[in-house]
Amino acid sequence: NTSYMFVTGPDVVKTVTHEEVTQEELGGAKTHCSKSGVAHFSFENEIETLRSVRELFDFLPLSWREPGLTVPCSDPIDREEESLDTLVPLDPNLPYDIRNVIEKVVDHQHFFEVQADYAKNIVCGFARMNGRSVMIIANQPQEAAGCLDINSSTKAARCVRFADSFNIPILTFVDVPGFLPGTDQEWH
């Protein structure tokens, strides 16, 4: 409730459209993290913010010209994860949380998600494989059955473009029934 971003404030919106809206509803952090997709993260305080920014930077190289930092990994390279046999249900109509699958595959079961509250039908973020940073992009069957739509496609495209800019490999998990139909999707 301390930062806002909008083109016109609540007073102008009310004058022009007769719509009552607060500064927070119109352009607060929660709005931009969940509705517009303009913000990737929102934190409660400065300490949490700095911790998360440091964690994000640990996944990135210093420049596009340099390889990223390789972190020592104690996970056995030949480990087998038995739970992967049951995490994805045999019935294609049953949802599951793709984050559980991701965490079982990546180093130390650690996944740093980006834009967690926006376009929830696709999951994007950073992890490590054998100590090296990777960008994960995965359909989320728990949301809209994992269907792609405009917002999820935009979110994934931004992550692909960002990863490509820093030469970060991309690992995809695909379990998508198709593109969300409807006039709203067709007209936007």
Side-chain angles (χ1 to χ4, degrees):
N1 293 321
T2 60
S3 301
Y4 313 102
M5 180 175 66
F6 37 70
V7 177
T8 58
D11 294 337
V12 174
V13 170
K14 184 177 180 182
T15 301
V16 175
T17 67
H18 307 289
E19 184 180 3
E20 296 268 345
V21 65
T22 66
Q23 287 184 321
E24 185 64 31
E25 293 167 334
L26 183 61
K30 186 174 183 179
T31 298
H32 287 302
C33 281
S34 64
K35 294 183 180 175
S36 71
V38 172
H40 288 57
F41 305 100
S42 174
F43 303 104
E44 290 297 319
N45 56 55
E46 288 83 5
I47 293 169
E48 189 181 327
T49 302
L50 291 172
R51 242 186 232 130
S52 294
V53 168
R54 284 185 189 117
E55 184 178 359
L56 173 63
F57 282 171
D58 282 345
F59 288 103
L60 305 177
L62 294 177
S63 104
W64 65 271
R65 294 179 183 174
E66 298 180 28
L69 178 66
T70 300
V71 175
C73 177
S74 59
D75 287 349
I77 196 161
D78 60 346
R79 74 181 157 114
E80 291 186 24
E81 186 55 58
E82 302 290 330
S83 66
L84 289 174
D85 290 337
T86 57
L87 279 175
V88 178
L90 293 175
D91 183 348
N93 295 318
L94 293 176
Y96 61 94
D97 189 348
I98 194 65
R99 288 180 199 93
N100 294 332
V101 175
I102 294 167
E103 288 170 355
K104 295 296 182 182
V105 172
V106 300
D107 290 358
H108 305 291
Q109 298 187 342
H110 180 66
F111 175 60
F112 185 78
E113 190 169 354
V114 176
Q115 288 188 302
D117 295 325
Y118 178 70
K120 292 182 177 187
N121 47 332
I122 199 151
V123 173
C124 300
F126 295 95
R128 293 191 183 278
M129 300 289 292
N130 199 27
R132 186 169 176 206
S133 291
V134 295
M135 171 67 74
I136 306 277
I137 300 175
N139 298 97
Q140 175 56 288
Q142 276 191 329
E143 299 287 334
C147 282
L148 292 174
D149 60 10
I150 292 169
N151 290 345
S152 64
S153 298
T154 301
K155 177 179 171 180
R158 287 176 182 165
C159 288
V160 167
R161 193 167 40 250
F162 184 86
D164 185 52
S165 296
F166 286 99
N167 298 308
I168 297 171
I170 299 169
L171 176 61
T172 58
F173 292 82
V174 180
D175 184 3
V176 61
F179 201 85
L180 190 66
T183 56
D184 186 52
Q185 296 297 307
E186 294 294 334
W187 296 343
H188 291 98

